[in-house]
Amino acid sequence: PSTTHGEDRRRVTNSNLSGKPGLVHAPIIRTTEVAGKPLTIYVTPREGWGTASEINYGVYVLALIFVGTLLGFLFWAQRLLKSRRESWQQLSQAIEAIDDGFALFDPEDRLVLCNSRYKAFYNRSAHLIVPGAKFSNIIWGGVQRGQYKDAIGREEEWFEERMEAHRNPVNSIVQRLDDDRWLKVSEAKLEDGSRVGFRVDITSLKRAQNEAESANQAKTDFLNVMSHEIRTPLSAIIGFSKVLKSAHRLPAVKALVEEAAAESSATKRRFEAILSHFENYAERIDVNGQHLLNIINDILYLNDFEKADKPLNLTAVPISDIIQTTVQQLSGLADEKGLYLHAATTDALVHGDPVKLQQVLVNLVGNAIKFTDAGGVRIRFREADEFVQISIEDTGCGIPVNQQGKIFDSFFQVDSGLNRRFDGSGLGLTISKDIIEKHHGSIRVESVAGQGSVFHILLPKERASDLAA
């Protein structure tokens, strides 16, 4: 069966087809066999297929939307790539403009980028510093070419130390290069495993430091020599002044006094008066000589007190022994000013250097007497489980609150004017604090201006393990 197209569709040319001719306009045709005979089926929508213009319009709209979206995405991607390229160029220019060396290594420890300053530092191994090169290969190449002075003679050991510092960067390190330049190397590890590194040229600073250390060593040598040259005659002066302070006890003087007494009582009195003046002058020589010797000793101690490795002669020190020695040494000075000097006794032992601890107590008690005009000085004790506290209490002029935090600074004095009442170098408390801290103790002050001061020293007790050692 078929229909005639282009003619009247109502005319059916085959009587085997019955129905409305309009139903088979542009049908979907399927042919099958039923009971041995062919059966052709025509299928069309009830309302028809619609017009071609309607179908094309929807397709066009979808196509336009798709094309517009695609173009928009491409435009956005192009802008993004351009912005990224410009940012990368700006970053590269900024890195290149840095005066210091900069390098970036990826999580695989391969070089991503570095500036020209970075390569200029490592002139012998610059050809190895290229993107993609591993950090270990760059470093080892520099070691083989003598790039690092500190590595010469211990190449493998130095290389391992350098790689460990690179893998676990904590503090900056200093590198000495083959051309006598010094670099400060600072590295940091990022979250993704990448590493950034800076190289700062500190050659001028290092040279200045070396010059300062050389000058400081020259100063130390000078002070050591001069101290010997000064202290030797000064010790003789002090020794003879002590003898002259008690000239009346000398056999020759006693004989002369007896001869003067035999001649006349008036001659004896005149001679004894001359002898008294003589001994008084000797006392002044002794006091001032001892003061000068103390200043020299303080300066020498200050010269090397930062040497933490200087050993102390640690032993079990009876507190009462060093206190009584201090009292005996300074009681005359207290008597001259009409002050009392009292000290408690204790059986406590501290772990320390007896000479250094004696020096501290002489400094503190001597200061207390010097700054006290009425009343006196008292030394007290207090024991705890692991520490002994020694307190030096005076009734002197006290220390203003705003200056109590400075009294342990070198050369600081509360009365610092040219016409100050009290002499001294301003080093006694500085040295005392250093000695106590090297004993793993502490020192502090409590003071009220016009009412006096109390210095508290805290020292570790002697333990059974220390005694056994």
Side-chain angles (χ1 to χ4, degrees):
S2 63
T3 59
T4 302
H5 300 285
E7 299 178 0
D8 184 5
R9 294 180 179 274
R10 292 181 177 275
R11 185 169 59 86
V12 179
T13 60
N14 193 320
S15 59
N16 294 330
L17 178 64
S18 62
K20 296 180 179 180
L23 293 178
V24 292
H25 173 68
I28 295 176
I29 304 173
R30 290 293 182 268
T31 301
T32 184
E33 186 175 338
V34 178
K37 295 183 178 181
L39 175 64
T40 301
I41 303 174
Y42 294 74
V43 180
T44 59
R46 180 181 297 275
E47 302 299 331
W49 292 105
T51 62
S53 60
E54 291 175 347
I55 298 174
N56 292 339
Y57 178 78
V59 173
Y60 291 155
V61 170
L62 292 176
L64 287 174
I65 293 173
F66 175 76
V67 171
T69 303
L70 180 61
L71 291 176
F73 174 77
L74 292 176
F75 178 75
W76 173 79
Q78 184 182 17
R79 288 290 301 273
L80 182 63
L81 290 174
K82 181 180 179 181
S83 176
R84 182 178 181 182
R85 184 167 56 253
E86 291 175 350
S87 298
W88 181 259
Q89 290 175 350
Q90 186 178 19
L91 177 61
S92 300
Q93 292 173 359
I95 292 174
E96 185 63 28
I98 298 176
D99 288 337
D100 305 322
F102 175 84
L104 173 64
F105 291 84
D106 64 16
E108 300 298 325
D109 216 13
R110 297 183 181 276
L111 181 64
V112 177
L113 63 89
C114 68
N115 59 4
S116 57
R117 183 68 169 165
Y118 184 91
K119 297 182 69 172
F121 284 141
Y122 304 104
N123 52 352
R124 291 199 179 188
S125 55
H127 64 284
L128 301 174
I129 306 175
V130 295
K134 295 205 70 171
F135 178 82
S136 57
N137 294 337
I138 295 173
I139 294 297
W140 183 245
V143 171
Q144 291 178 318
R145 290 163 177 78
Q147 182 80 73
Y148 312 102
K149 271 200 169 182
D150 293 338
I152 297 176
R154 52 187 297 268
E155 286 79 3
E156 293 186 1
E157 182 180 357
W158 186 93
F159 174 74
E160 292 298 329
E161 293 173 355
R162 180 67 187 92
M163 290 303 300
E164 176 61 26
H166 176 71
R167 286 189 291 265
N168 302 291
V170 179
N171 299 317
S172 299
I173 62 174
V174 176
Q175 283 182 348
R176 186 184 180 190
L177 303 182
D178 62 302
D179 55 359
D180 284 331
R181 283 187 298 174
W182 296 82
L183 299 181
K184 180 181 179 182
V185 178
S186 301
E187 296 179 325
K189 190 174 183 180
L190 306 182
E191 292 183 357
D192 65 347
S194 302
R195 289 174 176 82
V196 294
F198 282 91
R199 305 293 186 272
V200 181
D201 191 338
I202 58 171
T203 303
S204 58
L205 179 62
K206 194 68 177 178
R207 288 174 180 170
Q209 179 184 357
N210 291 338
E211 291 174 0
E213 290 176 351
S214 298
N216 186 62
Q217 184 60 45
K219 178 205 69 175
T220 300
D221 295 340
F222 171 78
L223 287 174
N224 289 335
V225 172
M226 291 304 297
S227 66
H228 176 74
E229 296 297 326
I230 293 174
R231 282 195 294 183
T232 299
L234 185 59
S235 297
I237 293 172
I238 294 174
F240 283 115
S241 67
K242 291 183 181 298
V243 174
L244 296 178
K245 284 193 316 181
S246 303
H248 63 278
R249 298 179 182 177
L250 297 175
V253 175
K254 287 182 178 180
L256 189 59
V257 170
E258 291 176 0
E259 291 178 5
E263 182 177 342
S264 70
S265 59
T267 302
K268 178 182 178 183
R269 286 194 299 271
R270 285 195 296 269
F271 187 81
E272 288 179 342
I274 294 174
L275 186 61
S276 176
H277 286 297
F278 184 78
E279 291 181 343
N280 184 42
Y281 295 147
E283 172 69 22
R284 294 185 182 182
I285 293 173
D286 180 62
V287 170
N288 286 279
Q290 190 64 50
H291 176 64
L292 180 58
L293 182 60
N294 289 337
I295 291 177
I296 293 173
N297 290 335
D298 287 347
I299 292 175
L300 289 176
Y301 185 90
L302 182 67
N303 187 49
D304 62 356
F305 87 109
E306 293 180 350
K307 297 178 181 178
D309 57 343
K310 192 170 184 178
L312 295 172
N313 184 23
L314 298 176
T315 184
V317 181
I319 291 293
S320 291
D321 287 358
I322 60 174
I323 290 298
Q324 292 303 320
T325 301
T326 302
V327 170
Q328 292 172 7
Q329 183 175 344
L330 298 175
S331 59
L333 182 60
D335 292 341
E336 288 179 4
K337 298 185 68 174
L339 305 175
Y340 63 79
L341 178 55
H342 297 162
T345 58
T346 178
D347 296 330
L349 300 176
V350 295
H351 186 62
D353 185 324
V355 176
K356 297 299 183 183
L357 293 179
Q358 184 77 61
Q359 182 180 357
V360 171
L361 289 177
V362 169
N363 277 337
L364 294 179
V365 176
N367 279 349
I369 295 173
K370 179 171 66 174
F371 293 106
T372 301
D373 293 329
V377 179
R378 191 179 303 275
I379 304 174
R380 304 179 186 274
F381 302 96
R382 185 174 65 85
E383 293 188 47
D385 292 338
E386 297 183 358
F387 291 91
V388 174
Q389 179 176 287
I390 307 172
S391 300
I392 297 92
E393 177 183 344
D394 65 62
T395 58
C397 59
I399 305 169
V401 175
N402 61 345
Q403 295 183 336
Q404 291 180 14
K406 304 176 184 178
I407 61 174
F408 294 103
D409 296 342
S410 300
F411 304 108
F412 176 81
Q413 291 183 332
V414 175
D415 182 13
S416 58
L418 294 177
N419 298 320
R420 54 195 175 96
R421 292 177 54 201
F422 307 103
D423 56 11
S425 62
L427 295 175
L429 291 179
T430 304
I431 294 171
S432 298
K433 181 175 183 290
D434 179 68
I435 292 174
I436 295 301
E437 289 181 347
K438 285 181 178 177
H439 281 78
H440 305 290
S442 64
I443 182 171
R444 62 185 179 87
V445 63
E446 295 177 359
S447 183
V448 177
Q451 299 183 24
S453 304
V454 183
F455 283 83
H456 300 287
I457 301 172
L458 204 63
L459 289 170
K461 269 187 174 181
E462 184 73 22
R463 297 169 297 182
S465 57
D466 297 326
L467 290 173

